[in-house]
Amino acid sequence: AQKVTQAQTEISVVEKEDVTLDCVYETRDTTYYLFWYKQPPSGELVFLIRRNSFDEQNEISGRYSWNFQKSTSSFNFTITASQVVDSAVYFCALSGRQGGSEKLVFGKGTKLTVNP
Amino acid sequence: DSGVTQTPKHLITATGQRVTLRCSPRSGDLSVYWYQQSLDQGLQFLIQYYNGEERAKGNILERFSAQQFPDLHSELNLSSLELGDSALYFCASSAQDSALETQYFGPGTRLLVL
């Protein structure tokens, strides 16, 4: 079975601090995709990144960066110089084939609070 | 704005009732997915439709059903509602018939069953 674990339930930081959100996944698939979504207080789910299992290059997008390590089955997300607007629940997700069909499985989420 | 629309935004109803949630996918997307987000279960996949046909099923109760119409909009029907059905229901869409693709989520419908 596929599983995503986000061990950090809640994180609180002060503005301008760097923060890393952890994501560990389990799958037997050789081809799979990993995602991060952001859910701000308004409730919608905002897509941040998609990464396939064959691409272990780290990715940077502005203040956001992602570290994919197959050896540890982790796909961690770092926010540099955090801002109050980064306050949200962040979900890591994994898609792959389960029982003959492809499904997206989410972690429980990490609630990030950035204080001014 | 993801381009996925959902109506209504909020719904308050009583136990035993039936409701219909509506979703319009992004222009050009053929797949629609439904998810339920509750405090205890987190985000759970319910069902997927692709171009009008059911493609995958997740943890969807028998009291729940869905369909996708020729214009590609989708409806999720929830019947014999129970207090535990109170949740945020999301619709997502993607271009093709694969959950390996990026799914873009709508703003959700918040259902409260009293």
Side-chain angles (χ1 to χ4, degrees), chain A residues 3-7 22-26 72-76 92:
Chain A
K3 188 178 175 183
V4 176
T5 301
Q6 294 181 256
D22 297 333
C23 172
V24 173
Y25 63 91
E26 293 174 32
T72 56
S73 297
S74 65
F75 186 45
N76 296 337
C92 179

Side-chain angles (χ1 to χ4, degrees), chain B residues 17-52:
Chain B
Q17 294 298 303
R18 172 190 167 97
V19 297
T20 298
L21 313 184
R22 183 188 168 105
C23 166
S24 292
R26 291 188 321 158
S27 177
D29 283 358
L30 298 177
S31 269
V32 169
Y33 306 79
W34 286 97
Y35 292 85
Q36 179 193 60
Q37 185 179 29
S38 60
L39 280 173
D40 51 343
Q41 297 290 330
L43 262 164
Q44 298 241 328
F45 166 70
L46 296 177
I47 197 164
Q48 179 208 354
Y49 277 81
Y50 173 75
N51 206 19

Side-chain angles (χ1 to χ4, degrees), chain A residues 60-115:
Chain A
I60 298 175
S61 175
R63 296 183 298 106
Y64 294 172
S65 63
W66 290 269
N67 180 277
F68 177 28
Q69 292 200 344
K70 242 174 159 174
S71 59
T72 56
S73 297
S74 65
F75 186 45
N76 296 337
F77 173 31
T78 297
I79 302 175
T80 303
S82 60
Q83 299 176 2
V84 173
V85 292
D86 296 326
S87 296
V89 180
Y90 291 87
F91 291 94
C92 179
L94 164 70
S95 71
R97 191 164 282 271
Q98 298 183 72
S101 60
E102 294 162 350
K103 293 173 187 174
L104 187 61
V105 174
F106 284 86
K108 295 285 189 186
T110 297
K111 182 178 181 181
L112 173 65
T113 302
V114 181
N115 299 297

Side-chain angles (χ1 to χ4, degrees), chain A residues 12-28:
Chain A
S12 182
V13 299
V14 177
E15 215 172 10
K16 295 184 185 168
E17 281 186 27
D18 298 347
V19 57
T20 295
L21 310 182
D22 297 333
C23 172
V24 173
Y25 63 91
E26 293 174 32
T27 181
R28 291 183 187 170

Side-chain angles (χ1 to χ4, degrees), chain A residues 31-33 35 37 39 41-47 50 91 95-97 101-108, chain B residues 33 35 37 40-43 45 48 55-58 88 90 97-107 110:
Chain A
T31 301
Y32 54 90
Y33 283 78
F35 302 79
Y37 285 85
Q39 187 174 36
S42 51
E44 73 272 26
L45 276 167
V46 179
F47 164 73
R50 169 180 178 251
F91 291 94
S95 71
R97 191 164 282 271
S101 60
E102 294 162 350
K103 293 173 187 174
L104 187 61
V105 174
F106 284 86
K108 295 285 189 186
Chain B
Y33 306 79
Y35 292 85
Q37 185 179 29
D40 51 343
Q41 297 290 330
L43 262 164
F45 166 70
Q48 179 208 354
R55 271 299 200 255
K57 257 184 170 176
L88 187 52
F90 284 107
D97 180 20
S98 171
L100 300 181
E101 290 194 328
T102 298
Q103 295 179 28
Y104 293 92
F105 283 75
R110 193 170 293 276

